[in-house]
């Protein structure tokens, strides 16, 4: 089946905020009383992998219209927007993409973000999600720039299967070297994310658990999601997290652990022999929209309020059009205050279907 190129998402209007300045109080809440605490920033829409569930090669081919460099937010622009988000209550920033380590001089951006302080004077928690392919080379400089932690994606230990899944012939050994380099650099605690696709890599669940057990790395299993519009998602390919836990517990007994924070997306399970923990992220079978405090800034500066949104608010146009920081703060406040997104909770319901107003934005553009 040939797939058509999915256009980037539509743009939602920036709410009219003339004459209604909203000075940041650090306590912004949306219509469901959810605070704004996390900001995910996509620093590039490009990637050196072609994971079958994220950037399938038949869509993201040589003719795919990736963004030109001039469309990307500059590091100055990202820092400026991040500063306003932090004033509104953001405490954690995750850099993502595409593959964030492909963005040239990403360390310079991390260094700038590491200087920001919350209204209470605390430094931010700055993390990054990477496919790990460039991590062996970059772990030390990322740490020196001020990165707190890193999350590495790895979907299999079996090399042939991993190469098929990333569809770019990258070896498992390169990613494992990257994880080792991140550990050596002190980018801890390191998390490893495995997207589980039933019938594709679910046989790797137990080998992955065995490999990382006792290593200090927290392995997390993510249910395969219906993000974007090009991965051909099908519910039959989702393995519910409850079954992931069951399969691991059959080999290594597990007991539930308390969540670190209310907004934590993963449910934590500890090995009964004390050799560490795993997490399961049940995005499909156990929605966590009620505690979703995340905003997403796309590569070209659009603000998305949900991973499954089909439109974003163009903050780049605002800042390139000469808006003051006060204007930007007011726009972000109005946008967040109007937020009611809870796609995963509504998934499959009539209201979710009727809410579809265009193709959903791709994950490689909005960031995971
Ligand atoms: N390239 C980086 C990486 O792979 O870690 C960062 C961006 S990637 C979009 C962020 C995360 O989203 C990865 O852990 C990836 O496995 C996950 N992801 C992508 N598509 C997904 C899908 N359809 N369902 C669940 N997770 C997905
Ligand atoms: Fe690239 Fe990450 Fe998407 Fe894989 S999941 S294609 S590594 S952006
Ligand atoms: Fe947050 Fe949207 Fe995911 Fe719900 S579906 S948890 S609102 S990003």
């Amino acid at each position: 089946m040939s797939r058509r190129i999915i256009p980037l998402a539509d743009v939602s209007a920036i709410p009219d905020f003339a004459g209604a300045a909203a000075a940041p109080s650090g306590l912004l809440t949306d219509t469901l009383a959810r605070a704004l605490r996390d900001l995910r920033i996509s620093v590039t829409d490009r990637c050196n992998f072609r994971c079958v569930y994220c950037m399938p090669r038949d869509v993201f081919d040589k003719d795919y219209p990736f963004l030109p460099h001039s469309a990307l937010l500059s590091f100055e622009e990202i820092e400026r927007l991040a500063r306003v988000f932090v004033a509104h209550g953001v405490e954690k920033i995750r850099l993502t993409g595409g593959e964030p380590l492909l963005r040239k001089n990403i360390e310079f951006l991390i260094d700038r973000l590491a200087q920001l302080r919350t209204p209470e004077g605390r430094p931010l928690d700055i993390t990054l999600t990477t496919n790990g392919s460039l991590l062996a080379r970059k772990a030390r400089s990322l740490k020196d720039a001020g990165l707190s932690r890193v999350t590495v994606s790895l979907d299999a230990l079996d090399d042939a299967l991993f190469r098929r899944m990333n569809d770019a012939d990258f070896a498992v050994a390169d990613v494992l070297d990257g994880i080792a380099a991140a550990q050596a650099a002190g980018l801890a605690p390191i998390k490893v994310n495995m997207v589980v696709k039933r019938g594709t890599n679910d046989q790797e669940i137990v080998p992955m658990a065995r490999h990382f057990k006792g290593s200090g790395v927290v392995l997390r299993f993510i249910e395969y999601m219906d993000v974007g519009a090009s991965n051909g998602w099908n519910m039959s390919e989702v393995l519910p997290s409850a079954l992931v836990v069951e399969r691991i517990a059959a080999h290594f007994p597990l007991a539930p652990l308390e969540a670190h924070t209310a907004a934590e997306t993963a449910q934590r399970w500890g090995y009964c022999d004390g050799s560490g923990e795993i997490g399961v992220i049940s995005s499909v079978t156990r929605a966590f929209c009620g505690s979703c405090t995340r905003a997403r800034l796309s590569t070209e500066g659009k603000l998305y309020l949900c991973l499954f949104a089909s439109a974003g608010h163009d903050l780049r146009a605002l800042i390139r059009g000469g808006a003051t920081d006060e204007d930007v703060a007011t726009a972000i406040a109005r946008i967040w205050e109007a937020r009611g997104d809870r796609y995963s909770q509504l998934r499959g319901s009539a209201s979710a279907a009727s809410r579809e107003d265009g193709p959903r934005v791709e994950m490689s553009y909005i960031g995971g």
Side-chain angles (χ1 to χ4, degrees), residues 40 46-49 51 53-55 94-101 128-132 151-155 192-196 222-228 231 233 283-284 307 362-368:
R40 297 193 175 190
R46 290 163 199 260
C47 189
N48 51 351
F49 283 19
C51 300
Y53 52 74
C54 178
M55 296 179 75
R94 177 176 296 278
L95 300 179
T96 176
E99 174 45 43
L101 297 187
L128 178 147
T129 303
T130 173
N131 62 29
T151 298
V152 183
S153 305
L154 178 63
D155 296 329
V192 168
N193 281 352
M194 171 178 172
V195 174
V196 179
I222 306 180
E223 287 177 351
Y224 171 45
M225 287 186 284
D226 48 336
V227 281
N231 67 6
W233 184 85
S283 334
V284 179
L307 188 51
E362 294 297 337
M363 197 154 175
S364 50
Y365 161 77
I366 196 178

Side-chain angles (χ1 to χ4, degrees), residues 5 62 64 110 283:
I5 290 179
K62 63 177 184 9
Y64 187 82
I110 293 169
S283 334

Side-chain angles (χ1 to χ4, degrees), residues 279-334:
V280 289
I281 303 181
S282 318
S283 334
V284 179
T285 61
R286 197 169 186 272
F288 36 78
C289 302
S291 57
C292 181
T293 54
R294 286 178 295 283
R296 292 178 157 84
L297 191 57
S298 76
T299 316
E300 56 178 341
K302 295 200 184 96
L303 173 60
Y304 286 85
L305 303 177
C306 178
L307 188 51
F308 297 90
S310 52
H313 303 268
D314 193 352
L315 298 184
R316 187 192 66 185
L318 199 61
I319 53 176
R320 291 192 184 170
T324 64
D325 284 355
E326 192 183 46
D327 295 338
V328 176
T330 304
I332 292 172
R334 295 287 170 265

